[in-house]
Amino acid sequence: MKVVICEDECYWRDALKASISRWALNKNIELQCADFYSSQKLIQYLNAHIDIDVVLLDISLSSEEDIDGMTTAKHIRKMGNRVPIIFVTVDSARAIDGYLVEAMGFLKKPIDEKRLSLFLDRVVKQKKPERVFTIIAESTISSVRQSDIVFVEVNNHTIIYHTTKEEIYLRGTLNKVMQLLGCENFIQIHRSYVIAKSKIYRVKITYPYSVDIFNGHEITNLPVSRNYITNLLEVYSDDVLQ
């Protein structure tokens, strides 16, 4: 597994490297870890290496010659690089705009190794070959990558797959949708909605319940019914960690 750290404080760079090394040792995973103190060095490295698995990025890079972590992440995305980004911060409020760059989440200093491990476990899981679903509509057959599915809704027995590229309409029920997609990466939140777990950004935990999900570079808000809120919160806290 190839990990890159960008942190301008030596203490926190060393702490992150030590924590990641312990995780890799416990998981019996071969680790390659590069670390940098500036965004410029990070960007140069990413330009030259396209096989990085995850970047841990200090959101408050403080060098006068440097740009901060959020600006760095935006630049990385403009480069067309989709590498998973985990922000590291002393103030979690600063990471609230992480959805703009589709960040995996954030780690607050001092580092919680359990939370770090959950993030790195997700990175390993996402490295597995991506599933491609065959969706048969009335006049078309579409092959859709799992990562492109944002959410699915039903309206008067019409199923709508909302993907990052298009909307696909067909007749059916959400039960049939869940049979196709499975529960590992998707979760039903309402009698009318199934969402991708990886797209969850935020859950409103007071009634009326709702969830914000990534929809490209925007956030879509969907209602969550009482029957599904407990299960959603378990997924949100134990798996997604946004």
Side-chain angles (χ1 to χ4, degrees):
M1 181 163 169
K2 296 182 179 180
V3 179
V4 176
I5 299 168
C6 187
E7 165 63 64
D8 59 352
E9 295 185 49
C10 182
Y11 173 84
W12 291 116
R13 277 204 311 277
D14 290 344
L16 280 167
K17 284 191 290 184
S19 295
I20 294 168
S21 295
R22 282 191 288 270
W23 168 84
L25 182 63
N26 289 334
K27 298 288 183 175
N28 196 27
I29 290 176
E30 183 178 349
L31 178 67
Q32 297 181 34
C33 188
D35 61 277
F36 303 96
Y37 63 87
S38 77
S39 61
Q40 294 179 8
K41 296 291 186 182
L42 170 65
I43 290 169
Q44 290 173 6
Y45 188 82
L46 293 180
N47 275 328
H49 299 80
I50 61 173
D51 57 347
I52 303 304
D53 294 309
V54 63
V55 172
L56 285 87
L57 177 58
D58 179 18
I59 206 169
S60 302
L61 296 170
S62 58
S63 169
E64 293 182 1
E65 300 176 356
D66 225 344
I67 56 177
D68 66 20
M70 184 62 69
T71 304
T72 301
K74 290 177 181 178
H75 186 83
I76 291 170
R77 293 299 185 240
K78 287 180 181 178
M79 290 161 46
N81 194 322
R82 311 311 301 172
V83 63
I85 295 173
I86 302 170
F87 285 121
V88 182
T89 179
V90 294
D91 180 9
S92 56
R94 292 212 60 197
I96 196 168
D97 289 332
Y99 71 89
L100 295 172
V101 292
E102 298 183 15
M104 179 175 281
F106 68 89
L107 292 167
K108 191 173 181 179
K109 300 174 183 177
I111 303 303
D112 180 338
E113 291 201 358
K114 181 179 179 181
R115 185 175 173 88
L116 172 63
S117 295
L118 287 170
F119 277 129
L120 296 177
D121 288 347
R122 284 182 59 201
V123 172
V124 172
K125 184 178 177 181
Q126 290 173 2
K127 287 183 64 177
K128 296 178 181 178
E130 184 174 12
R131 290 187 65 187
V132 177
F133 298 100
T134 300
I135 300 174
I136 303 174
E138 290 185 4
S139 58
T140 61
I141 300 177
S142 302
S143 295
V144 181
R145 295 187 307 172
Q146 176 179 294
S147 61
D148 286 334
I149 300 174
V150 180
F151 69 99
V152 185
E153 70 172 303
V154 60
N155 189 346
N156 292 328
H157 298 289
T158 296
I159 297 294
I160 308 171
Y161 281 82
H162 296 265
T163 79
T164 57
K165 297 180 174 62
E166 61 180 337
E167 294 180 350
I168 302 172
Y169 293 78
L170 62 150
R171 302 290 290 177
T173 65
L174 281 190
N175 284 337
K176 292 291 186 181
V177 170
M178 289 303 298
Q179 288 176 20
L180 173 65
L181 301 182
C183 297
E184 182 178 2
N185 298 294
F186 296 87
I187 181 171
Q188 186 166 353
I189 60 166
H190 189 276
R191 65 181 182 181
S192 299
Y193 297 104
V194 167
I195 64 174
K197 294 179 182 179
S198 63
K199 306 296 185 183
I200 298 174
Y201 170 60
R202 177 169 50 204
V203 177
K204 180 174 177 286
I205 60 175
T206 56
Y207 190 82
Y209 310 114
S210 65
V211 60
D212 290 337
I213 57 175
F214 296 116
N215 190 356
H217 294 293
E218 299 179 350
I219 292 293
T220 296
N221 179 267
L222 296 175
V224 180
S225 69
R226 293 179 185 270
N227 293 338
Y228 295 100
I229 186 62
T230 299
N231 191 31
L232 176 62
L233 288 174
E234 289 177 356
V235 169
Y236 178 77
S237 60
D238 295 339
D239 183 28
V240 179
L241 289 174
Q242 293 289 347

